[in-house]
Amino acid sequence: MPDVLLASCAAATGKDEDEPLLLAALAAEGVSAAPADWADDGVDWGAASAVVVRSTWDYAPRREEFLAWARRVEAVTRLANPADVLTWNTDKRYLRELAAAGVPVVPTAWAEAPDDVATALERWPGDVVVKPVVSAGARDTARFSPAEREQARAAAEGILAGGRAVMVQPYLDRLDAEGETGLVYVDGAYSHAFGKGALLAGGPLGEGLYAEEEITSRTATPAQRAIGDRVLAWVAERTGRTPLYARVDLVPGDDGDPQVIEVELTEPSLFLTTDGGAADRLAAAIRRRIG
């Protein structure tokens, strides 16, 4: 049994570009590691010194099963990130807490019942984005123009019918030119940043395991770093844990100032390929955690 198991899923086999870099970096640290499907009942998770959640990208349709697995693993070995952090982070209503704490978050309306949908959709006159509060890889997410409010309503009601609450956000026009900026943190310390092209040129993103993205290396601005650092400090205080890994995704608001669109603590791609030292930093942090 390897020292560390990287929790993945069968559908992600060969698709996680972070995985080979992390395996090689762990080997250089003297730590043996291997991927394993979180849904495989034959895996002896407790035999590993630690389990690191990585490409469990199929968890969203069976979130409760995934969280139950995380609690079982945590009962027999170290789990990063911990089960209580995964529970909190896999429902995007955590953004309400961030906004209440004064962190600049993309304006969001929430629909938790069919009667909430019309009010949420009417909040902004322009294009809106409709997505579920439980989702991975931008699945079941779509952008709708003002002329497509009926389609937006149908999409929202379909998400609700499937047992998930809905979030509605204005589409931020600066995204088309500037895209998103992701800030990656390892063991609470800033590691690197990357750029992500705009996904929502039109149409839903719901058919594959994840949406294909245009990723580039990027240097975070001081304003972006300030928000990312603030979010990480808040997360540590809120959860009582310093996460092994975290990703803070930022988008430009109408005034160009960065806003948080997501805080990824569960199974984010960390885009280790965009920074030459990123895999080494993550591997060293894992080694430190297992002693």
Side-chain angles (χ1 to χ4, degrees):
M1 174 61 66
D3 300 318
V4 173
L5 287 174
L6 305 180
S8 182
C9 66
T13 302
K15 297 179 180 179
D16 180 7
E17 294 183 352
D18 288 345
E19 186 178 284
L21 291 176
L22 181 55
L23 289 172
L26 285 168
E29 289 280 348
V31 177
S32 60
D37 182 359
W38 72 270
D40 183 350
D41 292 335
V43 177
D44 183 5
W45 301 98
S49 297
V51 174
V52 179
V53 180
R54 295 310 309 125
S55 50
T56 57
W57 297 330
D58 63 349
Y59 82 84
R62 41 184 177 158
R63 175 178 178 251
E64 293 307 316
E65 180 185 345
F66 172 70
L67 295 177
W69 164 83
R71 291 189 290 270
R72 289 195 304 271
V73 170
E74 195 169 67
V76 295
T77 191
R78 299 178 183 88
L79 177 68
N81 285 326
D84 59 344
V85 172
L86 303 182
T87 300
W88 175 77
N89 186 241
T90 50
D91 187 319
K92 293 181 178 63
R93 281 174 283 199
Y94 66 77
L95 290 172
R96 289 197 290 207
E97 296 182 49
L98 265 179
V103 175
V105 172
V106 174
T108 306
W110 309 89
E112 298 175 340
D115 290 345
D116 300 333
V117 171
T119 301
L121 291 174
E122 290 168 3
R123 184 166 170 184
W124 296 283
D127 286 12
V128 295
V129 177
V130 174
K131 53 188 172 183
V133 299
V134 178
S135 178
R139 295 177 65 191
D140 304 317
T141 296
R143 172 184 177 181
F144 298 95
S145 70
E148 297 172 318
R149 285 299 190 262
E150 281 304 306
Q151 294 96 315
R153 179 189 57 77
E157 291 179 350
I159 291 168
L160 286 169
R164 293 177 291 176
V166 172
M167 47 199 302
V168 179
Q169 297 172 326
Y171 186 78
L172 303 173
D173 291 334
R174 296 177 72 113
L175 267 173
D176 289 338
E178 300 179 34
E180 296 184 22
T181 299
L183 276 58
V184 177
Y185 290 77
V186 173
D187 222 2
Y190 175 75
S191 172
H192 63 283
F194 62 89
K196 182 191 302 185
L199 283 173
L200 296 173
L205 301 173
E207 298 304 319
L209 182 63
Y210 55 86
E212 295 290 343
E213 300 169 319
E214 179 187 349
I215 302 298
T216 57
S217 180
R218 182 171 289 184
T219 300
T221 67
Q224 291 169 335
R225 278 293 311 275
I227 291 179
D229 293 352
R230 182 178 174 188
V231 168
L232 257 289
W234 183 88
V235 165
E237 182 177 355
R238 167 64 176 79
T239 65
R241 317 278 188 119
T242 296
L244 171 64
Y245 54 85
R247 203 181 90 192
V248 181
D249 291 345
L250 304 172
V251 294
D254 290 336
D255 58 2
D257 289 343
Q259 299 178 343
V260 177
I261 193 168
E262 206 159 345
V263 180
E264 299 260 20
L265 304 172
T266 302
E267 36 57 74
S269 291
L270 301 176
F271 300 109
L272 303 178
T273 58
T274 64
D275 184 284
D280 293 338
R281 288 190 285 273
L282 180 56
I286 293 171
R287 178 187 53 77
R288 288 193 299 270
R289 292 210 174 196
I290 65 175

